[in-house]
């Protein structure tokens, strides 16, 4: 069984995806692309932000592919609501808009990825798998914009050596349990380090911490 299949309740299941776009043709195309991979399963669709939030609450997908421009609210607001209420769900923005302010805003809101709609089908499928594993996913075009913004941020409070180790592994997509195994420390200690790292960096999410790790040069700016 592939490692990309998620463990749920002791069973291995395909990564569950919710599609959010106000254009039915876009949703149909993305669904078709994803359906070619047995490790991915589209479990629902939404045409606006309100519907997206409601279906996320009901369906609890692993990953949401979310358009930035929706008729009732923008993707930044939707992402913020989802990250606050359902932080275990990974949100990838899938949009035709490449704008530095929107990119940074949505990443700060808690999105784990930012892809453009001209992405290749294989890249999109791989990005969904990476996001489900907790790895940040950014298109090559967005990477250049993000890198400029990340470099412009002020420096964080100093991290200890162990906190830096934890941040580096966190930014590489490792879970707390995997960090426990790699660093040979308890899970409670890892949680404490993660909490301290987020506080010192002034961020709320692991995704935002990953951006800081990129700025610090701990990990490369990743693209799917």
């Amino acid at each position: 069984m592939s490692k990309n299949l998620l463990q749920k309740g002791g069973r291995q299941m395909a990564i569950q995806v919710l599609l959010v776009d106000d254009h039915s043709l876009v949703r149909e195309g993305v669904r078709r692309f994803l359906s070619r991979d047995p490790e991915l399963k589209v479990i629902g669709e939404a045409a606006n932000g309100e519907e997206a939030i409601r279906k996320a609450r009901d369906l609890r997908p692993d990953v949401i592919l979310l358009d930035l421009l929706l008729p009732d609210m923008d993707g930044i607001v939707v992402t913020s609501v989802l990250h606050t209420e359902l932080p275990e769900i990974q949100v990838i923005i899938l949009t035709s808009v490449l704008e530095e302010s929107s990119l940074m805003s949505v990443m700060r809101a808690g999105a784990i990825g930012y892809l453009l709609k001209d992405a290749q089908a294989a890249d999109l499928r791989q990005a969904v798998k990476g996001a489900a594993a907790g790895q940040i996913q950014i298109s090559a075009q967005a990477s250049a914009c993000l890198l400029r913004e990340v470099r412009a941020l002020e420096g964080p409070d100093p991290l200890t050596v162990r906190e830096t180790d934890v941040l580096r592994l966190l930014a590489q997509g490792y879970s707390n349990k995997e960090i426990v195994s790699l660093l040979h420390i308890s899970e409670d200690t890892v949680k404490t380090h993660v909490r301290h790292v987020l506080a010192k960096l002034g961020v709320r999410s692991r995704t935002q911490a990953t951006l800081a790790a990129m700025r610090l040069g701990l990990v490369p700016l990743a693209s799917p």
Side-chain angles (χ1 to χ4, degrees), residues 100 104 191 197:
E100 290 185 13
M104 288 303 296
K191 290 179 180 178
V197 166

Side-chain angles (χ1 to χ4, degrees), residues 147-211:
L147 187 56
R148 287 195 296 271
E149 292 292 332
V150 169
R151 284 175 174 167
L153 296 175
E154 294 182 358
D157 292 336
L159 302 178
T160 67
V161 172
R162 184 56 90 188
E163 288 168 351
T164 301
D165 291 337
V166 169
L167 174 58
R168 181 184 292 107
L169 293 172
L170 181 156
Q172 291 172 346
Y174 289 101
S175 67
N176 284 359
K177 289 185 178 180
E178 290 170 328
I179 296 175
V180 166
S181 177
L182 289 167
L183 298 183
H184 307 290
I185 55 181
S186 71
E187 187 165 3
D188 285 342
T189 300
V190 171
K191 290 179 180 178
T192 298
H193 284 319
V194 170
R195 191 162 57 247
H196 289 168
V197 166
L198 297 183
K200 286 185 176 182
L201 297 177
V203 299
R204 295 190 306 156
S205 71
R206 297 168 79 98
T207 300
Q208 292 171 314
T210 297
L211 298 182

